[in-house]
Amino acid sequence: MFLMHLYHFQAILIVFALNLPSATCGYIEYHGSHFRKACSVFEPAQYVANATVTVHEFVAAGTTLQFPDNDPSCARSNQTVSVDLCRVALNISTSSRSGVIFEGWFPENWAGRFLATGNGGIDGCIKYEDVNYGAANGFSTVGSNNGHNGTGGSSFYLNDDVIEDYVWRSLHVITEVGKNLTNAFYPSPFVRSYYLGCSGGGRQGVKAAEMFPQDFDGIVAGAPAVNFNNLTSWRASFFAKTGASSSPNFISADIWSELIHNEVLRQCDAIDGVADGIIENPRMCDFRPEELICAAGNATQDCLSAAQVQIVKEVFSPLYGSSGELAFPAMQVGSEVLAVQKLYAGAPFPYSLDWFRYVVYNDDFFDDSAFGVADITAAQALNPFNVQSYPSDLSKFASHNGKLLMYHGQQDNQITSFSSERFYNHLARGMTMQSPQIDNFLRFFRISGMFHCNAGPGAWMIGQASSGATGFDPESNVLAAIVRWVEQGVAPDTIEGTKFVGDVKANGVERKRKHCRYPYTNTYVGGNSSLLESWQCIQDPLGITLSDEHDIERERWEK
Ligand SMILES: *[C@@H]1O[C@H](CO)[C@@H](O)[C@H](O)[C@H]1NC(C)=O
Ligand SMILES: *[C@@H]1O[C@H](CO)[C@@H](O)[C@H](O)[C@H]1NC(C)=O
Ligand SMILES: *[C@@H]1O[C@H](CO)[C@@H](O)[C@H](O)[C@H]1NC(C)=O
Ligand SMILES: *[C@@H]1O[C@H](CO)[C@@H](O)[C@H](O)[C@H]1NC(C)=O
Ligand SMILES: *[C@@H]1O[C@H](CO)[C@@H](O)[C@H](O)[C@H]1NC(C)=O
Ligand SMILES: *[C@@H]1O[C@H](CO)[C@@H](O)[C@H](O)[C@H]1NC(C)=O
Ligand SMILES: *[C@@H]1O[C@H](CO)[C@@H](O)[C@H](O)[C@H]1NC(C)=O
Ligand SMILES: *[C@@H]1O[C@H](CO)[C@@H](O)[C@H](O)[C@H]1NC(C)=O
């Protein structure tokens, strides 16, 4: 309490020094030259332990910041800033042999909210575009390199502190630092705190809810990389299934994205009532690749050999552990059009390769082509700092009135969306709750026709990041939706997504769809299928079952 007052006192001092109205008038007056002055007199080092200030500057809207020393693998050498803001970059040490690079952007148009942003994969890359997205929407926003630079994992090698930063510490530390700075910089303390991340960043959000239930009031976790150890194994397993791109039965990208994808659509697109290239609920698709087998004596290009059909079967099968237990659910169909870029490319999946090399085995020469159950067991047994991120109970988060909004693309090409359904069911069992009760603190939206985190043929723009934002309306923007849920208690029932022709707004809308929350499935009910009213959320006939999904998976894939 004393500290809170201290921050407030500091803020009031700044306000007096600048001859501004008192802080009780709110931050409305904190504008223009006053804001620039406040930024320049601010002394961030005072509020943060164990850190050095590397950048402290006012940045005017429209400026393109250059990051010349940003790791090239992050492919983020610059960022255009949307609004006037005060930028603070820090080098925070987290142990004698680890630290995080921190970015905090404090916008002039502050709406009293704090936002932390996450990372992806096993990186190491500040998502400047997300930091900017938060600041542009009035959040004081932070991001970090999650304890190491670049997309690779070599920094993990023989350094548990860098691994610990990656698993949880970096996000927790930058959240504390960011909150300290927010309260010190603005004339009044922040009112609510939020988190936004996808993929590896989705895992960070779930981890925060599990480990630090007070850190955030609202969390948006996209395509979360939960069940992390087994996910890493699952991704590693594709190379052994597909074979190298030079192997005799290798299925080329063209065959996957045309022949196989078209057959997937032929068998499953109309299950939801409309053949529009989008499978609303891939769980209802029981794909039979045998339909593509080359008839004896008919060697056309448009078919698969028996060995290739077997590869397709294996690619679409779950991953099982050493005693036959489910380790990770199957890839969902529809994703093949993009999964060819990485998982089916006939090469080791880089994130998994580095995790096995530099964390699980500390062996540069780990050979992914022989991946097997022993590797699954080894990764799961190590589980450093509980990177697993698979809580069966989030009641502490729920009782602090925290809200978690999950979303997952139904054509996700890097993390099967069945993993999020399974995680939801896992929580349901762990907390002995049916979906109407889970709905009070967790809502999971399945985004049909969306790839990993963004893009795709479906109505994928849901405000998950600046590239997917069509406005800051809680009906159609997940970040705005979590704000409304936290601050006004209005929970989102659906999230309206948009697809522009060629993903360019000026080209006009190609489709809109109101994505349903699990376990509901969007189902065509008649009329013009381009119109929102022609669809309804109905209870998923297959999805919500609290019985052991292991048996269900087995039955499905072994027949
Ligand atoms: C936040 O500020 C408090 C009070 O100055 C300090 O004790 C704490 O260490 C700070 N947190 C971090 C992560 O620097
Ligand atoms: C600062 O570093 C010291 C020594 O490494 C550590 O004990 C302390 O917890 C750190 N403080 C914060 C806020 O991280
Ligand atoms: C990591 O990247 C930051 C810039 O984002 C740079 O300042 C720092 O020197 C890099 N650290 C290492 C160890 O390369
Ligand atoms: C910003 O970075 C992108 C790629 O990340 C690059 O294509 C572009 O040329 C850069 N722009 C400026 C102004 O540096
Ligand atoms: C950050 O701090 C660490 C440890 O104090 C130091 O080794 C590193 O060079 C610093 N990096 C930057 C970019 O200041
Ligand atoms: C050969 O296969 C193609 C493609 O499946 C099919 O259209 C054609 O009818 C087949 N020809 C014979 C002779 O079976
Ligand atoms: C992960 O895989 C192991 C098999 O190695 C299995 O025993 C465990 O239950 C799996 N965990 C989850 C959450 O799927
Ligand atoms: C269906 O609705 C779309 C969008 O409003 C419209 O462009 C199209 O003409 C309609 N189709 C029919 C058959 O009415």
Side-chain angles (χ1 to χ4, degrees):
M1 209 51 219
F2 170 71
L3 290 175
M4 286 272 299
H5 281 129
L6 191 68
Y7 300 145
H8 210 73
F9 182 60
Q10 171 69 21
I12 289 168
L13 276 187
I14 291 174
V15 168
F16 278 164
L18 299 173
N19 199 18
L20 288 176
S22 98
T24 50
C25 293
Y27 38 82
I28 311 286
E29 308 289 339
Y30 208 50
H31 278 329
S33 60
H34 298 310
F35 181 82
R36 284 172 195 239
K37 186 77 190 296
C39 182
S40 73
V41 302
F42 185 48
E43 291 178 19
Q46 247 184 281
Y47 310 97
V48 188
N50 302 341
T52 54
V53 180
T54 52
V55 180
H56 169 206
E57 63 185 4
F58 171 80
V59 184
T63 305
T64 297
L65 294 173
Q66 298 291 335
F67 312 117
D69 56 354
N70 191 254
D71 193 291
S73 67
C74 290
R76 287 171 171 90
S77 65
N78 64 76
Q79 176 65 47
T80 300
V81 175
S82 302
V83 292
D84 286 359
L85 53 83
C86 189
R87 175 185 176 214
V88 173
L90 305 170
N91 179 2
I92 307 170
S93 100
T94 52
S95 79
S96 59
R97 54 174 187 168
S98 64
V100 302
I101 303 289
F102 165 99
E103 283 279 342
W105 292 12
F106 304 97
E108 181 176 322
N109 68 340
W110 189 52
R113 302 184 181 112
F114 171 78
L115 177 73
T117 62
N119 306 84
I122 58 164
D123 71 38
C125 294
I126 299 171
K127 291 199 166 176
Y128 293 102
E129 67 278 21
D130 285 358
V131 178
N132 183 61
Y133 179 51
N137 284 297
F139 297 82
S140 68
T141 309
V142 301
S144 83
N145 74 341
N146 216 14
H148 68 283
N149 284 350
T151 54
S154 60
S155 320
F156 296 139
Y157 185 62
L158 301 180
N159 191 331
D160 276 355
D161 279 297
V162 175
I163 299 173
E164 189 164 13
D165 282 346
Y166 169 77
V167 173
W168 65 267
R169 188 166 51 193
S170 178
L171 177 60
H172 180 62
V173 165
I174 66 160
T175 299
E176 289 206 323
V177 167
K179 287 177 174 179
N180 272 6
L181 295 181
T182 299
N183 285 346
F185 177 63
Y186 293 104
S188 53
F190 70 90
V191 285
R192 295 282 191 228
S193 70
Y194 297 92
Y195 174 80
L196 179 71
C198 192
S199 190
R203 182 197 67 79
Q204 291 173 280
V206 171
K207 190 81 200 156
E210 174 187 19
M211 217 173 156
F212 301 102
Q214 311 265 347
D215 272 4
F216 304 109
D217 300 298
I219 293 174
V220 177
V226 297
N227 193 4
F228 180 88
N229 301 297
N230 290 354
L231 165 66
T232 304
S233 292
W234 178 75
R235 289 163 145 190
S237 73
F238 287 97
F239 181 48
K241 289 177 178 175
T242 64
S245 53
S246 56
S247 58
N249 290 307
F250 184 74
I251 302 172
S252 70
D254 284 354
I255 293 183
W256 272 116
S257 53
E258 288 168 28
L259 180 72
I260 298 174
H261 182 61
N262 289 340
E263 181 62 16
V264 161
L265 292 181
R266 195 187 66 78
Q267 291 185 27
C268 297
D269 185 7
I271 292 175
D272 54 34
V274 181
D276 57 357
I278 293 165
I279 299 170
E280 286 297 324
N281 185 355
R283 183 162 292 280
M284 293 164 77
C285 173
D286 193 359
F287 179 55
R288 261 196 93 238
E290 288 81 359
E291 292 291 326
L292 290 173
I293 205 156
C294 302
N298 186 347
T300 69
Q301 289 285 306
D302 294 337
C303 60
L304 300 177
S305 68
Q308 288 176 319
V309 167
Q310 184 58 30
I311 289 172
V312 174
K313 278 294 247 206
E314 281 168 17
V315 160
F316 286 127
S317 298
L319 185 71
Y320 297 109
S322 55
S323 22
E325 70 278 29
L326 181 63
F328 208 77
M331 182 57 119
Q332 89 275 277
V333 292
S335 53
E336 52 282 349
V337 278
L338 227 56
V340 293
Q341 293 179 353
K342 292 259 171 75
L343 294 180
Y344 311 168
F349 185 70
Y351 292 146
S352 291
L353 187 65
D354 274 16
W355 188 261
F356 276 99
R357 282 183 172 170
Y358 302 120
V359 180
V360 180
Y361 293 131
N362 293 322
D363 175 3
D364 243 345
F365 299 102
F366 170 71
D367 173 15
D368 195 15
S369 67
F371 187 86
V373 285
D375 301 309
I376 306 173
T377 306
Q380 177 61 49
L382 188 68
N383 187 25
F385 306 103
N386 195 14
V387 68
Q388 180 69 342
S389 313
Y390 210 62
S392 55
D393 182 2
L394 288 177
S395 54
K396 287 198 178 117
F397 178 72
S399 62
H400 146 74
N401 217 13
K403 308 295 180 199
L404 174 58
L405 191 162
M406 271 173 43
Y407 65 86
H408 207 135
Q410 298 296 287
Q411 277 182 243
D412 192 312
N413 49 297
Q414 289 206 17
I415 301 177
T416 176
S417 59
F418 297 157
S419 172
S420 283
E421 297 178 10
R422 185 171 178 241
F423 174 53
Y424 183 104
N425 292 344
H426 170 73
L427 272 176
R429 289 193 302 269
M431 300 177 79
T432 54
M433 282 184 177
Q434 295 182 344
S435 52
Q437 295 165 285
I438 297 179
D439 269 355
N440 291 328
F441 71 95
L442 189 167
R443 293 191 177 209
F444 165 40
F445 295 88
R446 295 186 288 180
I447 312 300
S448 59
M450 183 169 89
F451 298 133
H452 188 54
C453 295
N454 53 49
W460 66 271
M461 291 190 169
I462 54 168
Q464 64 271 62
S466 49
S467 68
T470 56
F472 202 68
D473 175 353
E475 295 296 325
S476 59
N477 180 307
V478 286
L479 186 55
I482 196 92
V483 165
R484 185 171 68 171
W485 193 4
V486 165
E487 296 179 13
Q488 294 168 35
V490 181
D493 285 337
T494 58
I495 297 288
E496 185 180 310
T498 302
K499 168 81 180 173
F500 294 115
V501 178
D503 288 333
V504 175
K505 191 173 183 179
N507 294 347
V509 172
E510 182 173 316
R511 68 167 47 91
K512 281 181 182 274
R513 200 149 290 175
K514 281 188 176 168
H515 302 292
C516 308
R517 70 187 187 279
Y518 189 75
Y520 294 93
T521 289
N522 217 349
T523 305
Y524 177 67
V525 292
N528 181 339
S529 67
S530 298
L531 303 178
L532 291 173
E533 309 83 81
S534 308
W535 296 81
Q536 251 175 37
C537 295
I538 62 150
Q539 191 88 10
D540 185 338
L542 295 176
I544 187 72
T545 162
L546 301 187
S547 67
D548 189 354
E549 65 270 281
H550 171 223
D551 296 334
I552 298 165
E553 296 278 347
R554 262 261 130 136
E555 206 178 294
R556 273 172 71 71
W557 296 104
E558 289 202 342
K559 63 185 178 205

